[in-house]
Amino acid sequence: MLLDEFLDDLTAQGKSPDTIQSFKGKILEFARFVGEVDVAEISAEDIERWRRTLRRRMKENSTTAYLVAVRCFFNWLERKKIYEANPFHIVKIKRAQDPPREYLEPPEINTLFAHCRSPKETLIIALGVFAGLRAIEMFRLRVEDVQPDKLTVHGKGDKIEDVPINPSLRSLLTVYIVGGFAGPETLLGFSRGHIRNVVINVGKRAGMKVSAHILRHTFGTHTIRVSDLETARVLLRHSDIQTTAIYLHTDARRLRNTVADLPYTLN
């Protein structure tokens, strides 16, 4: 069977068992789609129809992975001179895109603050980037939850936890409360949906796509950059450190700084 020969060739090239099984599954799915036809009868249109089918049930990067597996098989057939009319000479595959960055860098945070139009908007952004609060936690925050050195956060599952207050956030909270901007029952006086919309609208004015989740992700990302994973887990109030691990980013700056900060030099 041609597929078995192809997979044996991948093994000989040193491909991992996981890669080989992944390719096999994707190629077999394509075979089921086209049905029992000779490989020589498969056209570029068949592949385009399959692409459209895949796009209806998966993201673009996943669709690309399926197409790449099948393309490798057809390229192998062509190299072996088993089938020279390779339809992938016609079918083009877009390079897989990196997932969108779900956190803000310091200049973007400054731009976001610059586009706030009220003390409430400024405080909402600050609660996200300086304390990592979720929208529901901002909504539940009361004046009495604000203390000189900590915030009492009413989190998911009715968990109540204290988190330290960043100096910039403390100053904002003081001005906000003393200035009489707090709501009658809650600190912000907004619904959870309204809080989410505030973040989105400030982001639009700043020319960015921002959400309350991205503000929290920003806090988590920069906390890890200046401390460690366990510290970030505690500050983000995660019960499982694996949840915190999604905030790790192997970006170019982090890699450069890690190498530059090695604790030894050549004298």
Side-chain angles (χ1 to χ4, degrees):
M1 184 179 178
L2 289 175
L3 178 57
D4 290 333
E5 291 180 37
F6 169 66
L7 297 176
D8 288 343
D9 208 5
L10 291 182
T11 302
Q13 293 172 32
K15 301 295 184 184
S16 72
D18 286 345
T19 297
I20 292 169
Q21 283 302 310
S22 175
F23 271 44
K24 180 179 180 180
K26 291 174 173 65
I27 294 166
L28 286 175
E29 178 160 338
F30 176 67
R32 287 191 292 271
F33 176 80
V34 295
E36 295 184 5
V37 298
D38 188 276
V39 68
E41 297 176 21
I42 295 173
S43 66
E45 178 54 33
D46 292 323
I47 296 168
E48 291 293 358
R49 285 192 300 108
W50 188 49
R51 191 204 308 252
R52 291 193 291 272
T53 300
L54 293 174
R55 280 174 170 166
R56 285 196 288 269
R57 62 184 179 86
M58 62 180 64
K59 294 181 179 179
E60 189 64 28
N61 279 6
S62 298
T63 296
T64 296
Y66 275 74
L67 290 168
V68 166
V70 175
R71 181 179 64 184
C72 287
F73 179 55
F74 274 94
N75 288 348
W76 176 82
L77 291 172
E78 185 178 13
R79 286 197 305 274
K80 295 291 184 179
K81 301 190 183 302
I82 298 170
Y83 174 48
E84 297 184 8
N86 188 342
F88 280 94
H89 291 318
I90 299 172
V91 175
K92 301 303 178 186
I93 303 176
K94 291 182 179 179
R95 180 179 176 273
Q97 299 296 309
D98 293 331
R101 175 164 55 88
E102 290 199 326
Y103 63 92
L104 304 176
E105 293 290 3
E108 295 170 314
I109 297 169
N110 292 336
T111 299
L112 206 58
F113 278 120
H115 285 81
C116 291
R117 293 177 176 172
S118 70
K120 283 188 190 292
E121 288 188 349
T122 302
L123 183 58
I124 287 170
I125 301 301
L127 288 168
V129 300
F130 287 124
L133 265 61
R134 304 175 178 93
I136 184 65
E137 294 167 342
M138 296 184 199
F139 163 68
R140 291 173 174 170
L141 206 58
R142 301 166 302 184
V143 173
E144 54 264 37
D145 293 325
V146 181
Q147 300 173 50
D149 60 343
K150 63 183 180 181
L151 277 178
T152 299
V153 177
H154 302 261
K156 295 170 81 174
D158 294 326
K159 284 176 28 178
I160 300 176
E161 297 178 89
D162 291 334
V163 298
I165 298 182
N166 171 280
S168 295
L169 178 57
R170 184 189 300 115
S171 298
L172 278 174
L173 284 164
T174 300
V175 171
Y176 182 86
I177 294 171
V178 172
F181 296 106
E185 296 181 6
T186 61
L187 185 70
L188 293 170
F190 285 165
S191 68
R192 180 170 46 170
H194 195 156
I195 291 168
R196 289 193 177 116
N197 287 335
V198 165
V199 177
I200 291 169
N201 290 332
V202 172
K204 285 180 179 177
R205 293 200 295 268
M208 293 183 280
K209 188 175 182 179
V210 185
S211 65
H213 167 76
I214 286 177
L215 298 184
R216 177 171 166 81
H217 209 128
T218 297
F219 173 77
T221 297
H222 291 288
T223 298
I224 290 174
R225 283 181 178 176
V226 299
S227 60
D228 55 69
L229 194 59
E230 175 59 19
T231 300
R233 183 195 69 77
V234 174
L235 291 172
L236 288 162
R237 305 173 306 286
H238 289 152
S239 56
D240 186 349
I241 201 166
Q242 292 301 317
T243 305
T244 316
I246 66 172
Y247 294 83
L248 288 167
H249 306 283
T250 52
D251 56 274
R253 189 187 76 168
R254 185 181 180 89
L255 294 174
R256 285 196 302 270
N257 290 346
T258 299
V259 173
D261 291 341
L262 289 172
Y264 45 83
T265 60
L266 179 63
N267 295 322

